[in-house]
């Protein structure tokens, strides 16, 4: 059976891993959605970039043409995501899409009025067969994202997480689950919480990074206000900084410490440990 899969956020951490995961499957064509298709380098011959801008609904129908499966994700920390992705889901239904796998976040089932919660509910109500994946924080936040600059520049993890633990997950494991869900109807209707193999605190994160990189790395629990100011100074909107602050308060409160077996249940293998991830990505810490 042949499939054409549209992957939103194809240049993001999860999206680019999903593209790689499904590109190797037989009978699959991949449409990699990006704001700048002219800048996209396809990782395989069956991957084609397509123009899609989430705040521009006119880009939806052309991107969905000929598509039967969709990996759907919002722009990270976007409080306006529901107003963008609800119309996309409606357009996908018009286009005859047979399944959507939506990248949500851990704990969203307890916050139905949150941006991702609103999208989940709209997808469920749409009648399109679906899966929802709710991962913990990505391990990549320490290599290529929010918390990485201070590790490289100062040898410090500077976040307001107190002694909270989190069961971090690698984007490649999220993608492996998403690829299986997209191509296997047996899982339809499931919502899965995705985590790494164990919960660790940020002192442990720092020690693991130090061992992998060979540099001194420590963790400091900073005030929320300091982190928010730093995120805004980096060019992110104030709303995104506030959203991150809220998420880290949940880390402090222990809401991101639970561990699930969903990665192994779906893929048949254990998720990557942070030790393995840090060793494989140690170049990012220097």
């Amino acid at each position: 059976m042949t499939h054409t899969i549209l992957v939103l956020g194809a240049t993001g951490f999860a999206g680019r891993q999903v593209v790689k995961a499904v590109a190797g499957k037989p009978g699959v064509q991949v449409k990699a959605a990006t704001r700048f298709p002219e800048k996209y380098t396809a990782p395989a011959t069956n991957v084609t970039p397509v123009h899609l801008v989430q705040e521009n609904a006119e880009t939806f129908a052309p991107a969905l043409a000929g598509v039967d499966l969709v990996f759907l994700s919002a722009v990270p920390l976007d409080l306006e995501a529901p107003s963008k992705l609800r119309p996309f889901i409606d357009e996908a239904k018009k286009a005859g899409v047979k399944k959507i796998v939506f990248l949500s976040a851990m704990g969203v089932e307890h916050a139905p009025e949150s941006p991702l919660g609103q999208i989940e509910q709209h997808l469920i109500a749409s009648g399109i067969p679906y899966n929802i994946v709710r991962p913990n924080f990505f391990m990549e936040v320490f290599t290529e994202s929010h918390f990485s600059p201070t590790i490289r520049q100062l040898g410090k993890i500077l976040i307001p997480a107190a002694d909270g633990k989190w069961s971090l997950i690698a984007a490649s494991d999220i993608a492996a689950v998403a690829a299986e869900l997209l191509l296997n109807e047996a899982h339809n209707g499931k919502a899965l919480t995705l985590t790494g193999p164990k919960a660790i605190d940020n002192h442990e994160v720092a020690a693991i990074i130090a061992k992998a990189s060979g540099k001194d790395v420590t963790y400091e629990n900073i005030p929320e206000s300091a982190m928010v100011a730093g995120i805004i100074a980096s060019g992110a909107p104030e709303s995104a900084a506030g959203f991150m602050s809220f998420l880290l308060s949940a880390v402090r409160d222990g809401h991101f410490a639970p561990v699930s077996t969903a990665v192994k249940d779906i893929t048949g293998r254990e998720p990557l440990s942070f030790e393995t991830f840090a060793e494989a990505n140690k170049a990012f810490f220097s």
Side-chain angles (χ1 to χ4, degrees):
M1 187 173 181
T2 60
H3 295 285
T4 298
I5 303 175
L6 176 65
V7 178
L8 273 71
T11 59
F13 295 131
R16 73 189 186 205
Q17 293 291 343
V18 171
V19 169
K20 291 178 183 178
V22 296
K25 306 291 186 182
V28 168
Q29 294 294 317
V30 182
K31 298 176 80 170
T34 171
R35 288 176 178 269
F36 306 107
E38 69 279 3
K39 298 181 180 179
Y40 185 82
T41 301
T45 56
N46 62 336
V47 178
T48 304
V50 295
H51 183 232
L52 192 150
V53 179
Q54 293 191 9
E55 60 266 30
N56 182 1
E58 292 182 0
T59 65
F60 296 167
L64 283 161
V67 167
D68 63 317
L69 305 173
V70 173
F71 176 76
L72 178 64
S73 62
V75 174
L77 304 178
D78 183 7
L79 297 180
E80 304 302 320
S83 65
K84 302 169 186 176
L85 293 190
R86 285 186 298 226
F88 177 86
I89 292 168
D90 295 342
E91 193 64 43
K93 186 169 185 176
K94 291 179 187 176
V97 167
K98 294 181 172 60
K99 187 172 187 178
I100 293 177
V101 174
F102 175 52
L103 178 67
S104 187
M106 188 172 179
V108 166
E109 66 272 27
H110 304 301
E113 296 308 311
S114 67
L116 296 180
Q118 293 178 50
I119 297 166
E120 286 190 9
Q121 293 176 73
H122 194 80
L123 174 58
I124 293 168
S126 73
I128 302 172
Y130 70 90
N131 283 114
I132 296 167
V133 291
R134 301 181 179 131
N136 206 320
F137 274 77
F138 295 10
M139 293 179 181
E140 284 80 0
V141 296
F142 291 105
T143 56
E144 302 175 70
S145 189
H146 308 292
F147 313 141
S148 60
T150 59
I151 296 173
R152 290 194 301 272
Q153 297 162 13
L154 306 173
K156 294 182 178 182
I157 298 170
L158 300 175
I159 53 176
D163 293 324
K165 293 188 174 185
W166 39 9
S167 48
L168 301 158
I169 183 168
S172 58
D173 284 325
I174 299 168
V177 171
E180 175 64 21
L181 295 176
L182 282 164
L183 296 169
N184 189 338
E185 294 181 3
H187 303 298
N188 284 8
K190 291 181 180 178
L192 302 169
T193 296
L194 306 183
T195 75
K198 64 180 179 180
I200 55 178
D201 65 31
N202 287 292
H203 296 290
E204 293 172 282
V205 170
I208 292 167
I209 292 173
K211 182 177 180 181
S213 65
K215 65 187 286 185
D216 290 334
V217 180
T218 57
Y219 162 58
E220 293 183 18
N221 179 45
I222 63 171
E224 278 191 17
S225 58
M227 184 196 68
V228 168
I231 292 175
I232 293 172
S234 73
E238 186 174 347
S239 61
F243 199 167
M244 179 59 75
S245 183
F246 166 75
L247 292 173
L248 286 171
S249 72
V251 174
R252 292 196 301 273
D253 293 340
H255 296 304
F256 285 91
V259 175
S260 112
T261 62
V263 172
K264 185 175 182 181
D265 294 343
I266 298 298
T267 69
R269 60 171 177 76
E270 294 287 349
L272 285 180
S273 67
F274 191 70
E275 290 87 347
T276 300
F277 175 85
E279 179 63 31
N281 291 277
K282 59 187 175 183
F284 286 104
F285 304 127
S286 300

